[in-house]
């Protein structure tokens, strides 16, 4: 094989699929609507299944053929070949391939959008060492978005990042890397247009967006990973269209129970205490005393302690004498538990020898359990690519948690810190180096956890034993099941990969308590949304560090109101806990903020449901909809119909922003209106605004003219100045898996002109529909069924 000289020829065409070969190298092109898949592999190499690409919302336990076209809409391009160049045309795209070294060039509207780097973009002859690589052209001022929970500014241009996962407790939200998520997807916007690339791999790797410079090549960016095969997708369109295409590729997100959107409590301190049960019960009593209504409680792993160490599935009955009684007490008070579970068993765990004897751990080359440092000891990770190991886990969750009343799981510390190349997984019957699939274990762990409460609920992806082919998306399940009969399955996973959002929500991890990290946590949030992660939040107030100051505590709550996950969690150095009563003199203000969150939950729940249907983000930066706004602009969308302008800077008491142009006004709800004692609010013109916002105010947010907002009192119509818009709302009980006969989609058509507003709807109770006029006041009439 000649280095840097690989001449390809067309071996086979089958409709929209083209296969090229050069000696033992193969490149396959699959043309699909709005995207192109490129697969590079060698003779005899195993192409590991995908668990991320799920266009038909069904994922077998052992994964999907990575090169399958099932579920895709194929798009046959026009094709011609001359002078060593193959040219494909589809829509306004022209894709040319130089058959020497298979250099792909993408033209849009007659201009070069981007291209593979000249000379050699791939590792056909191992010119670049082990693994695979992809080198591409770059523009100096192009914009880069995505890659999951990456830190720093939203625009990642001129930076480099590792692709991998780590237990990054107390990370710096400006610079730490890697963190918890494995998301090899990014979008690029340059002077010609936009495109996105998703690399379908679970191997560690690296992205470079301009930090590396090499005199022998024009400016470039690159991706490298440890897997030898390379399969990637290229998306075209606007940034928003690309994001939707990617999100639909990885499948429908699950619909969470509505209670998960309420305030949820958590702290390490309660379960680490010797009287954990009393501490937890005290949380409920405090909530009653002060008038807080939590929906759930994230129960940290102290409940599993033997001495100072933590042993998953072990109940410390000295701390919690009656696990069943505790869960019953919480549920009687309207609170669900999410117990923390970890996939590593310490070597002195009571179950360790049994698991090792069955061969259910990851193994060293000699077949013995691989051992790793873990939580002040050494332990072995369960191998979830072994069906028997996954079944064992499901049985443990069912017996020790679900049957005791703990129907939701918090899947934590599941980043699988494996660096040794000689550690092996079962690989569904074909052993594979565990280092190549680390984030997959977290996905399979969460899926096996869900199986404990999803038994009998139709075609859930949660099945960890091979039964069924579907997933836990809350819109596709039947009813029944033993451990969580009639309940919508719910799980949270800290580690994530493309596809995890089909079965679980997540959060930004163990963040640091300071104002700078507060602001950069928001930029991380925008980055996660631009990476196809939609249902998430933060540990409000900060997890690691000192007790947050009053100002930081209140500012973070003001902000956290507008994230899908609303959880206060902490491990403060002074042993305090980030509870609503952290500062007793601030309880009245915290109650006002929590009341606003409750007021917004019907709207937020609908936006999340909408996201499961149309694959659009729940919170996102303005520039996704209004390109004239900068990438680091602090104002952001909360759903499609609200804008939020938080205060991130210490000592500041105001916000400056520019409201974008809109066919209608922007509205501000009056705080007294939220509290039920005034009119709807005021109307704001587009353009520059300077607004005060102290720590004892409600946060600054706006409602778009041209929308329907639901709250606890019914529906509010905010018309456009002129024209017609439509809106749909899901009406259900918020906890049951959706079936054909247990929910309704309420539809609105609103038409306005300078004289009148007409509302057409199939809502059953018209008396609960209010129309807001151009001055922000409620008006009567104009609603018809």
């Amino acid at each position: 094989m000649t280095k840097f000289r690989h001449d390809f020829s067309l071996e086979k065409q089958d409709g929209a699929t083209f296969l090229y070969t050069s000696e033992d190298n193969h490149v396959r092109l699959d043309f699909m609507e709005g995207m192109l898949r490129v697969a590079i592999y060698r003779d005899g190499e195993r192409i590991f299944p995908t668990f991320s690409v799920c266009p038909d919302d069904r994922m077998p336990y052992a994964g999907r053929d990575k090169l399958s076209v099932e579920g895709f809409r194929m798009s046959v391009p026009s094709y011609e070949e001359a002078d060593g160049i193959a040219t494909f045309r589809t829509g306004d795209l022209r894709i040319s391939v130089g058959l020497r070294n298979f250099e792909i060039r993408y033209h849009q509207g007659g201009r070069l959008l981007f291209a593979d780097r000249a000379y050699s973009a791939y590792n056909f002859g191992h010119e670049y060492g082990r693994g695979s690589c992809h080198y591409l052209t770059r523009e100096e001022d192009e914009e880069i978005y995505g890659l999951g929970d990456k830190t720093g500014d939203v625009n990642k241009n001129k930076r480099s990042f590792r692709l991998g996962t780590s237990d990054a407790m107390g990370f710096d939200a400006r610079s730490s890397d890697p963190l918890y998520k494995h998301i090899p997807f990014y979008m690029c916007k340059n002077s010609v247009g936009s495109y996105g690339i998703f690399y379908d791999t679970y191997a560690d790797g690296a992205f470079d967006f301009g930090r590396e410079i090499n005199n022998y090549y024009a400016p470039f960016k690159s991706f490298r990973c440890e897997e030898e095969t390379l399969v990637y997708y290229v998306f075209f369109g606007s940034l928003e269209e690309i994001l939707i295409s990617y999100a639909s590729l990885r499948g429908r997100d699950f619909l969470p129970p509505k209670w998960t959107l309420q305030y949820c409590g958590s702290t390490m301190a309660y379960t680490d205490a010797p009287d954990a049960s009393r501490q937890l019960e005290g949380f409920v009593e405090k909530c009653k005393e002060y008038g807080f209504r939590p929906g759930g409680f994230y129960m940290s792993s102290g409940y599993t302690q033997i001495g100072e160490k933590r042993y998953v599935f072990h109940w410390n009955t000295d701390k919690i004498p009656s696990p069943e009684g505790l869960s019953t007490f919480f549920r009687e008070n309207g609170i669900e538990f999410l117990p923390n579970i970890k996939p590593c068993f310490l070597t002195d765990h009571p179950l360790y020898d049994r698991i090792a004897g069955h061969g259910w751990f990851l193994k060293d080359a000699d077949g013995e359990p691989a051992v790793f440092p873990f939580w002040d000891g050494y332990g072995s990770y369960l191998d979830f690519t072994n069906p028997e190991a996954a079944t064992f886990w499901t049985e443990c969750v069912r017996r020790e948690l679900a049957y005791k009343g703990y129907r939701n799981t918090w899947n934590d510390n599941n980043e699988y810190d494996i660096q040794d190349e000689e550690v092996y997984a079962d690989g569904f019957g074909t052993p594979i180096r565990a280092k190549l699939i680390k984030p997959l274990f977290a996905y399979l762990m969460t899926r096996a956890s869900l199986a404990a409460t999803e038994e009998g609920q139709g075609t859930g992806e949660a099945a960890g034993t091979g039964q069924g082919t579907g997933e836990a998306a809350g819109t596709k399940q039947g009813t029944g099941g033993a451990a969580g009969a009639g309940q919508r399955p719910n799980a949270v996973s800290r580690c994530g990969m493309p596809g995890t959002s089909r079965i679980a929500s997540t959060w930004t991890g163990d963040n640091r308590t300071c104002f700078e990290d507060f602001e950069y946590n928001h930029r991380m949030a925008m980055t996660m949304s631009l990476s196809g992660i939609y249902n998430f939040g933060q540990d409000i107030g900060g997890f690691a560090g000192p007790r947050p100051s009053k100002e930081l505590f209140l500012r973070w709550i003001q902000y956290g109101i507008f994230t899908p996950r609303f959880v206060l969690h902490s491990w403060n150095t002074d042993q305090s806990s980030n509870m609503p009563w952290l500062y007793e003199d601030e309880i009245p203000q915290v109650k006002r903020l929590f009341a606003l969150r409750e007021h917004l939950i019907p709207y937020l729940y609908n936006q999340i449901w909408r996201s499961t249907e149309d694959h659009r983000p729940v919170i996102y930066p303005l520039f996704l909809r209004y390109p004239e706004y900068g990438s680091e602009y602090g104002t952001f969308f909360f759903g499609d119909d609200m804008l939020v302008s938080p205060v991130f800077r210490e000592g500041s008491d105001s916000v400056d922003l520019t409201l974008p142009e809109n066919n209608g006004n922007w509205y501000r709800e009056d705080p007294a209106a939220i509290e039920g004692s005034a009119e709807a609010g005021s109307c704001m013109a587009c353009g520059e605004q300077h607004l005060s916002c102290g720590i004892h105010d409600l946060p600054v947010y706006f409602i778009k003219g041209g929308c329907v907002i639901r709250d606890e009192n019914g529906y509010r119509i905010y018309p456009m100045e002129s024209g017609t818009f439509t809106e749909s709302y899901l009406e259900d009980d918020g906890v049951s898996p959706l079936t054909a006969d247990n929910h309704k989609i309420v539809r609105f058509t609103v038409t306005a002109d300078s004289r009148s507003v007409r509302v057409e709807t199939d809502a059953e109770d018209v008396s609960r529909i209010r129309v807001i006029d151009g001055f922000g006041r409620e008006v009567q009439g104009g609603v018809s069924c």
Side-chain angles (χ1 to χ4, degrees):
M1 180 182 294
T2 304
K3 300 291 185 180
F4 296 104
R5 187 186 176 103
H6 307 280
D7 293 316
F8 284 82
S9 60
L10 181 64
E11 179 179 320
K12 181 181 179 182
Q13 178 190 355
D14 183 7
T17 297
F18 297 76
L19 179 64
Y20 290 84
T21 299
S22 174
E23 297 180 333
D24 67 341
N25 284 298
H26 304 281
V27 180
R28 173 173 157 173
L29 304 179
D30 290 293
F31 289 84
M32 305 154 179
E33 285 193 7
M35 69 186 85
L36 168 70
R37 182 172 64 194
V38 180
I40 299 172
Y41 55 96
R42 297 183 181 88
D43 287 338
E45 284 182 345
R46 179 190 183 189
I47 302 178
F48 192 77
T50 183
F51 295 78
S52 299
V53 175
C54 192
D56 55 3
D57 295 319
R58 301 179 66 83
M59 182 58 66
Y61 164 66
R64 168 189 168 105
D65 178 358
K66 193 173 282 189
L67 301 186
S68 171
V69 297
E70 185 177 354
F72 287 111
R73 295 179 180 177
M74 306 304 289
S75 177
V76 181
S78 66
Y79 168 76
E80 62 184 54
E81 183 179 325
D83 300 324
I85 297 175
T87 302
F88 305 87
R89 288 182 170 84
T90 175
D92 69 341
L93 281 172
R94 176 168 59 87
I95 301 173
S96 61
V97 179
L99 296 179
R100 173 159 294 173
N101 296 329
F102 216 84
E103 296 174 5
I104 308 177
R105 300 173 66 83
Y106 301 84
H107 291 81
Q108 181 174 283
R111 301 173 63 194
L112 180 65
L113 179 63
F114 77 106
D116 289 342
R117 190 179 72 176
Y119 301 115
S120 184
Y122 306 104
N123 201 20
F124 292 126
H126 287 117
E127 293 92 345
Y128 302 112
R130 294 173 56 180
S132 58
C133 64
H134 187 199
Y135 290 88
L136 304 95
T137 58
R138 66 176 295 269
E139 293 184 6
E140 178 68 15
D141 295 322
E142 66 186 18
E143 301 166 17
I144 302 290
Y145 304 108
L147 297 188
D149 58 349
K150 295 306 182 187
T151 57
D153 288 344
V154 181
N155 182 3
K156 310 303 182 189
N157 187 30
K158 301 180 183 178
R159 296 186 63 196
S160 60
F161 300 91
R162 290 170 57 188
L163 177 64
T165 57
S166 178
D167 187 341
M169 203 271 280
F171 62 87
D172 184 331
R174 181 192 286 267
S175 61
S176 294
D177 183 56
L179 299 186
Y180 309 95
K181 310 295 189 288
H182 175 104
I183 308 292
F185 164 75
Y186 71 88
M187 301 183 291
C188 178
K189 180 180 180 181
N190 61 25
S191 63
V192 176
S194 301
Y195 59 92
I197 300 182
F198 164 57
Y199 297 95
D200 193 2
T201 182
Y202 307 117
D204 285 353
F207 288 89
D208 189 294
F209 296 116
R211 290 192 66 186
E212 181 182 358
I213 297 174
N214 189 316
N215 180 57
Y216 299 107
Y217 302 98
F220 62 89
K221 53 183 173 283
S222 66
F223 168 71
R224 301 195 62 157
C225 76
E226 297 178 8
E227 186 176 10
E228 291 293 334
T229 62
L230 180 67
V231 178
Y232 67 91
Y233 293 76
V234 185
F235 306 91
F236 308 97
S238 68
L239 290 177
E240 185 175 18
E241 290 168 340
I242 291 165
L243 181 58
I244 292 169
S245 294
Y246 163 70
S248 62
L249 176 77
R250 54 115 174 102
R252 181 194 300 265
D253 284 2
F254 89 110
L255 180 66
K258 188 181 287 186
W259 63 260
T260 64
L261 307 182
Q262 293 176 244
Y263 158 63
C264 291
S266 188
T267 178
M268 294 281 290
Y270 289 0
T271 53
D272 278 4
D275 59 342
S277 189
R278 188 178 69 80
Q279 297 275 345
L280 291 164
E281 291 166 357
F283 167 80
V284 177
E285 298 304 327
K286 281 267 195 179
C287 287
K288 288 181 180 179
E289 177 185 351
Y290 293 122
F292 295 107
R293 298 194 311 116
F297 192 90
Y298 285 67
M299 188 164 68
S300 295
S301 58
Y303 75 97
T304 69
Q305 282 182 310
I306 301 175
E308 296 300 316
K309 297 179 182 178
R310 295 155 204 269
Y311 298 81
V312 63
F313 301 129
H314 167 79
W315 281 96
N316 184 324
T317 53
D318 292 330
K319 290 183 168 192
I320 301 178
S322 174
E324 296 90 343
L326 182 64
S327 67
T328 299
F329 174 71
F330 266 65
R331 188 162 291 113
E332 287 174 346
N333 284 278
I335 307 171
E336 289 284 339
F337 267 121
L338 298 94
N340 183 287
I341 49 179
K342 309 178 190 300
C344 191
F345 292 76
L346 297 179
T347 54
D348 58 348
H349 193 292
L351 295 173
Y352 188 90
D353 289 342
R354 176 189 170 193
I355 300 169
H358 284 287
W360 293 339
F361 287 129
L362 298 179
K363 299 181 181 68
D364 287 326
D366 60 5
E368 293 298 310
V371 176
F372 305 88
F374 190 83
W375 274 76
D376 301 322
Y378 291 91
S380 297
Y381 288 109
L382 200 67
D383 178 5
F384 286 95
T385 68
N386 183 326
E388 293 182 358
T391 299
F392 163 77
W393 180 269
T394 297
E395 291 172 349
C396 288
V397 173
R398 183 176 294 126
R399 181 181 63 252
E400 298 300 334
L401 297 175
Y403 284 151
K404 289 179 169 64
Y406 300 81
R407 300 184 299 214
N408 314 280
T409 56
W410 172 11
N411 298 266
D412 199 13
N413 301 101
N414 51 359
E415 290 77 27
Y416 275 67
D417 187 16
I418 304 166
Q419 305 301 323
D420 189 344
E421 294 188 354
E422 296 303 315
V423 173
Y424 293 89
D426 177 76
F428 311 100
T430 304
I432 184 173
R433 286 192 291 137
K435 191 173 187 292
L436 293 176
I437 56 170
K438 292 190 301 181
L440 179 60
F441 296 117
Y443 161 82
L444 294 172
M445 169 195 178
T446 306
R447 180 168 171 165
S449 298
L450 279 168
T453 56
E454 209 186 31
E455 181 181 282
Q457 296 201 45
T459 58
E461 178 172 357
T465 55
Q467 72 267 28
T469 57
E471 287 197 283
T475 56
K476 296 243 177 171
Q477 295 142 11
T479 58
Q487 299 294 308
R488 194 176 300 165
N490 181 59
V492 179
S493 177
R494 188 171 72 179
C495 181
M497 66 175 207
T500 299
S501 57
R502 297 192 304 264
I503 59 173
S505 60
T506 190
W507 79 107
T508 56
D510 296 338
N511 52 2
R512 201 169 59 173
T513 306
C514 66
F515 262 98
E516 182 183 56
D517 278 59
F518 169 41
E519 180 175 2
Y520 275 92
N521 263 239
H522 166 67
R523 298 187 187 192
M524 284 179 61
M526 296 299 96
T527 294
M528 289 172 69
S529 287
L530 295 172
S531 305
I533 303 171
Y534 297 158
N535 187 356
F536 68 94
Q538 303 157 3
D539 285 346
I540 294 171
F543 175 81
R547 173 199 301 242
S549 67
K550 286 184 181 182
E551 182 183 5
L552 179 58
F553 185 61
L554 293 173
R555 288 301 191 198
W556 216 318
I557 294 174
Q558 286 179 341
Y559 169 80
I561 287 168
F562 300 98
T563 59
R565 178 185 185 265
F566 186 55
V567 177
L568 277 66
H569 183 39
S570 59
W571 196 5
N572 296 340
T573 53
D574 68 351
Q575 307 305 308
S576 65
S577 298
N578 290 358
M579 292 295 164
W581 47 86
L582 178 64
Y583 293 102
E584 292 208 7
D585 58 331
E586 296 294 350
I587 289 175
Q589 173 62 5
V590 174
K591 289 181 69 174
R592 291 184 73 216
L593 295 173
F594 277 42
L596 175 57
R597 172 66 177 201
E598 291 282 338
H599 176 73
L600 294 170
I601 283 176
Y603 166 76
L604 173 59
Y605 181 67
N606 200 68
Q607 292 295 309
I608 292 175
W609 166 73
R610 183 268 304 159
S611 180
T612 69
E613 296 290 315
D614 64 17
H615 308 289
R616 285 166 45 226
V618 178
I619 63 173
Y620 53 95
L622 255 68
F623 73 80
L624 197 63
R625 186 66 57 84
Y626 297 96
E628 64 269 24
Y629 284 81
S631 60
E632 314 310 316
Y633 198 71
T635 300
F636 66 97
F637 271 102
F638 173 61
D640 285 338
D641 302 323
M642 292 190 187
L643 291 182
V644 184
S645 292
V647 177
F648 292 115
R649 301 298 172 88
E650 186 173 12
S652 178
D653 61 1
S654 63
V655 293
D656 292 285
L657 71 148
T658 301
L659 285 172
E661 292 296 324
N662 179 45
N663 182 13
N665 297 301
W666 293 92
Y667 298 83
R668 286 194 72 187
E669 283 192 285
D670 191 302
I674 298 167
E675 294 156 4
S677 61
E679 289 287 349
S682 58
C683 183
M684 308 292 291
C686 303
E688 295 183 0
Q689 305 286 341
H690 175 83
L691 301 168
S692 63
C693 184
I695 62 171
H696 295 114
D697 294 326
L698 292 183
V700 174
Y701 68 98
F702 306 88
I703 299 172
K704 179 184 72 175
C707 74
V708 179
I709 301 293
R710 185 178 180 183
D711 60 26
E712 65 277 14
N713 298 314
Y715 294 99
R716 285 173 287 139
I717 312 293
Y718 292 87
M720 298 186 294
E721 289 185 352
S722 64
T724 299
F725 71 90
T726 61
E727 191 88 72
S728 298
Y729 266 83
L730 170 69
E731 288 192 352
D732 73 331
D733 65 8
V735 294
S736 301
L738 297 189
T739 62
D741 58 357
N742 72 351
H743 70 282
K744 179 180 180 180
I745 308 301
V746 177
R747 295 176 173 84
F748 295 86
T749 300
V750 181
T751 302
D753 57 29
S754 60
R755 295 172 297 174
S756 65
V757 176
R758 179 174 177 80
V759 180
E760 299 179 15
T761 179
D762 55 2
E764 295 179 356
D765 187 358
V766 179
S767 66
R768 299 183 70 229
I769 300 174
R770 294 164 290 161
V771 178
I772 311 302
D773 71 10
F775 299 97
R777 299 173 303 196
E778 183 178 335
V779 297
Q780 303 298 320
V783 179
S784 63
C785 293

